[in-house]
Amino acid sequence: MNYIDEINKRIACKDGKKVIEKALHNVYFYGSYSSKTLARELLIPVPVLTALKNECKKLGLWEQGGGLKTTGKGKQYFEEDLGFGEICKDTYLHLMKDERERELLIHELSDKYRNVFDSRPIVDVTIDQVKCTVETSFRRAMLCLCNGSLIGKKVLCVGDDDLVSIAMGLLLKHIFHENHKSKTEICIFEMDERYVKYIDELSDSFSLPVQCERVDLKDPLPLPFLNYFDSFFADPPYTVQGASLFLSRGISALKKEFGLNIFFSFANKPINETYALQKCFQLHGLVVKQIYHTFNEYEGASLLGNRGQMIILETTEQTRAVIPVDKNSNRSIYTRDNKPKNKKYSCKNCKKTFLMSGTEEFLTIEELKSNGCPFCGYNKFEQLNNHTKQEIHLLSKPLGRHILADFYSCQVKNLDDTDYIQNAMRNAAIKAKATIVQEDFHKFSPWGVSGVIVIQESHLTIHTWPEYSYASVDLFTCGEDVDAWTAFDYLKIMLKSDHVEFSDISRGHLSDIQYFDT
């Protein structure tokens, strides 16, 4: 039996299954807890802890005697089902308690396996690969461990040119006894065949619980990996488009639970770009749990200041993949796609001009400065305006968003009340900041309501089946000022739905580039 799921079902814990697992963890490792002390450590009210304690005692996992203790049955569940059997207890507890111990082990493992990381394939800058240091890889693995997302868990790396998967596997080998068969599963989605091959070789060589899949994230996600993982790592191209794609694919692969961890690496950006990134998190229904601004160190990434931030995100009940799992993404996600093409530079001394297009003698201005002007040897240049037109890539934003929602277990009387449904739909449009043009609703015999709110930005429609406690809703909106998800969240409340399924479709992707004279 999955006791954590069973306890969560019985007490309907608002803090999610994570707090139940942490309670089992603390009582197993530290024992003899009073209810008040354990509630304080878990940051939950005493009545919630009392309900949790009573269910654990009913299921035979805990017993009372000088404080809460784990029974033999509870130990078996924790060790066999949750994956903590054969752990080196002292090593593990030192790591969980002492930051200094963690740093010492990070450097010890980094020195021991440095050659493994140094032998990685050369980075491909065209797809924004940048190597993080070996210490950063092990620091990410340690972060996963200390957040309860590694032991016995299914962990995904959405791209892994940093070999975080290998670092997690090697960390597990260190804290478990020899010949331990790990219950942890680590999977990588990687499009670079060189890294797929290298990770597979390392996994076999060190006998790690690591599996690498060749996946291009712009393609639909393979079905076997949907709603499977407990957490994921992502270090995407440092664009909002790249962040959105990596988050959407990772979210589609996560279990449909709130409170799951996402370990998200991103460059430190100016305030406006940081705001856009946080809006991206909000659109995906994620909350920011922690930000470490100088957590990641990179080799040779001078443009990033060789440092980047680690953001720990958590899923909520509103978490959603903005890019549908079954759809291709044709958006430009790499930093080079967002930079002007064919830059021209002029030597400040001899005035000779040079074109940086990726196909000429000099690929970058840095290379030209390093070599000096081939005509006079001078190494100072100025950028020239090489065209008089402004490019606007219409591909960057679709014309509209279309949410197809299925609301189940709704309150029956509301579904058959035309006035109630019409008011709910009208208010949903208003809250989404849509401009209402026309309304039309119809009551069917013996039951059911259909209706449409025509808005200036498209439409909102609904069809109800009171006999099945079900409603089908379409929310199609255009423009930047209308938020279809606000309407979605409002209708979920008004229909009193206990379970919702949805698809989020981008409509009207235009691939042409229009030019406007400047």
Side-chain angles (χ1 to χ4, degrees):
M1 177 187 290
N2 187 327
Y3 289 111
I4 292 177
D5 282 347
E6 182 62 26
I7 295 168
N8 188 53
K9 186 168 67 174
R10 292 185 184 187
I11 69 174
C13 183
K14 291 183 178 179
D15 296 286
K17 294 191 286 187
K18 182 184 289 186
V19 75
I20 300 171
E21 184 173 348
K22 188 175 180 181
L24 295 175
H25 173 280
N26 286 12
V27 174
Y28 173 85
F29 279 110
Y30 305 112
S32 300
Y33 265 102
S34 70
S35 297
K36 190 173 182 179
T37 301
L38 186 56
R40 185 167 59 247
E41 288 191 6
L42 298 176
L43 303 177
I44 59 175
V46 172
V48 175
L49 190 279
T50 300
L52 193 162
K53 176 185 69 175
N54 291 338
E55 294 305 327
C56 286
K57 290 168 69 175
K58 287 179 187 177
L59 293 167
L61 304 177
W62 287 350
E63 60 187 0
Q64 194 91 37
L68 293 171
K69 297 178 182 178
T70 304
T71 64
K73 181 181 179 180
K75 288 180 180 179
Q76 183 180 10
Y77 173 67
F78 194 78
E79 293 171 2
E80 295 182 6
D81 291 71
L82 299 188
F84 283 83
E86 300 180 15
I87 196 169
C88 300
K89 191 172 181 179
D90 288 342
T91 300
Y92 173 72
L93 290 180
H94 282 142
L95 292 175
M96 296 300 288
K97 289 180 179 179
D98 192 335
E99 183 178 353
R100 184 172 177 275
E101 288 290 332
R102 294 196 289 270
E103 282 299 315
L104 288 173
L105 181 58
I106 286 168
H107 288 287
E108 177 187 332
L109 294 175
S110 297
D111 290 340
K112 183 176 181 179
Y113 297 107
R114 192 172 303 279
N115 183 59
V116 170
F117 286 76
D118 287 345
S119 300
R120 279 175 285 178
I122 298 172
V123 297
D124 182 350
V125 295
T126 65
I127 54 175
D128 286 2
Q129 287 179 352
V130 180
K131 290 181 180 179
C132 75
T133 63
V134 58
E135 288 82 5
T136 294
S137 293
F138 279 106
R139 194 166 286 117
R140 291 177 184 177
M142 191 70 73
L143 188 68
C144 188
L145 173 72
C146 293
N147 277 272
S149 296
L150 182 56
I151 296 176
K153 301 296 186 181
K154 298 177 176 67
V155 188
L156 172 66
C157 293
V158 184
D160 195 24
D161 50 61
D162 294 323
L163 302 189
V164 177
S165 58
I166 299 301
M168 287 190 284
L170 294 172
L171 177 60
L172 286 171
K173 285 180 74 71
H174 182 83
I175 62 177
F176 279 90
H177 292 294
E178 198 79 25
N179 300 321
H180 164 71
K181 185 166 181 172
S182 179
K183 286 188 69 68
T184 302
E185 297 179 34
I186 303 169
C187 182
I188 305 100
F189 293 165
E190 178 57 58
M191 66 179 291
D192 191 328
E193 290 185 358
R194 301 171 305 152
Y195 276 91
V196 172
K197 181 180 178 182
Y198 190 61
I199 291 171
D200 283 341
E201 290 173 354
L202 292 176
S203 179
D204 291 340
S205 175
F206 291 107
S207 299
L208 305 179
V210 174
Q211 171 191 358
C212 199
E213 298 288 336
R214 189 175 185 279
V215 174
D216 186 339
L217 297 178
K218 289 192 173 186
D219 296 333
L221 210 60
L223 291 177
F225 298 108
L226 300 187
N227 312 131
Y228 184 76
F229 295 95
D230 298 293
S231 66
F232 73 84
F233 280 83
D235 192 346
Y238 294 152
T239 64
V240 173
Q241 295 93 335
S244 182
L245 178 61
F246 276 57
L247 284 173
S248 286
R249 294 312 190 215
I251 288 168
S252 295
L254 281 183
K255 294 175 180 175
K256 290 186 175 181
E257 299 175 6
F258 64 89
L260 301 182
N261 286 326
I262 298 169
F263 302 95
F264 191 80
S265 296
F266 209 78
N268 291 295
K269 292 284 191 176
I271 191 68
N272 286 338
E273 293 181 58
T274 299
Y275 174 73
L277 181 65
Q278 293 192 3
K279 289 288 287 183
C280 178
F281 296 155
Q282 183 183 35
L283 187 61
H284 286 81
L286 302 170
V287 296
V288 176
K289 176 182 175 183
Q290 189 78 45
I291 300 178
Y292 303 92
H293 290 287
T294 57
F295 185 94
N296 297 308
E297 293 183 89
Y298 296 93
E299 299 174 0
S302 57
L303 292 177
L304 304 176
N306 298 99
R307 293 275 187 165
Q309 58 188 330
M310 168 62 74
I311 306 170
I312 303 181
L313 304 166
E314 275 194 359
T315 58
T316 69
E317 289 183 333
Q318 307 304 320
T319 295
R320 53 180 73 97
V322 171
I323 301 172
V325 66
D326 58 343
K327 300 294 183 183
N328 290 89
S329 173
N330 57 1
R331 303 172 75 188
S332 298
I333 64 172
Y334 300 114
T335 53
R336 64 187 175 89
D337 296 324
N338 294 328
K339 294 179 179 178
K341 306 294 191 297
N342 300 333
K343 292 182 183 177
K344 282 184 180 179
Y345 290 87
S346 171
C347 174
K348 286 189 174 183
N349 182 48
C350 69
K351 306 303 180 185
K352 293 290 185 179
T353 60
F354 304 91
L355 180 67
M356 305 290 131
S357 66
T359 59
E360 302 298 316
E361 181 181 359
F362 298 101
L363 302 181
T364 65
I365 185 59
E366 289 78 13
E367 184 181 351
L368 182 58
K369 287 179 179 179
S370 176
N371 286 274
C373 174
F375 295 94
C376 69
Y378 201 66
N379 64 354
K380 292 186 178 180
F381 303 84
E382 61 180 347
Q383 185 176 350
L384 303 176
N385 293 325
N386 58 355
H387 58 73
T388 59
K389 295 184 177 182
Q390 177 186 5
E391 295 183 7
I392 299 179
H393 289 255
L394 299 181
L395 182 63
S396 60
K397 290 185 179 179
L399 290 180
R401 160 155 283 119
H402 198 167
I403 300 173
L404 308 176
D406 294 314
F407 292 90
Y408 297 97
S409 302
C410 300
Q411 194 167 86
V412 174
K413 67 175 183 178
N414 292 339
L415 296 183
D416 205 36
D417 185 332
T418 307
D419 290 339
Y420 184 90
I421 293 296
Q422 185 166 0
N423 286 332
M425 293 290 286
R426 180 190 301 120
N427 289 332
I430 293 170
K431 288 181 177 295
K433 297 184 179 179
T435 305
I436 297 175
V437 176
Q438 187 176 344
E439 303 176 24
D440 189 12
F441 284 77
H442 179 76
K443 174 75 168 63
F444 292 97
S445 180
W447 43 56
V449 175
S450 287
V452 59
I453 302 283
V454 179
I455 59 177
Q456 185 172 301
E457 300 83 3
S458 202
H459 66 259
L460 284 67
T461 64
I462 188 169
H463 306 278
T464 73
W465 283 260
E467 67 270 34
Y468 300 119
S469 304
Y470 166 76
S472 170
V473 173
D474 281 17
L475 307 171
F476 186 14
T477 61
C478 304
E480 297 182 359
D481 297 328
V482 182
D483 186 358
W485 286 113
T486 298
F488 173 93
D489 293 336
Y490 176 77
L491 288 172
K492 183 178 186 295
I493 295 171
M494 296 306 294
L495 296 175
K496 294 181 169 57
S497 172
D498 288 342
H499 174 63
V500 182
E501 294 181 1
F502 61 85
S503 296
D504 180 12
I505 302 171
S506 296
R507 305 292 297 275
H509 285 281
L510 304 181
S511 57
D512 293 333
I513 300 175
Q514 293 185 354
Y515 293 89
F516 297 89
D517 290 330
T518 59

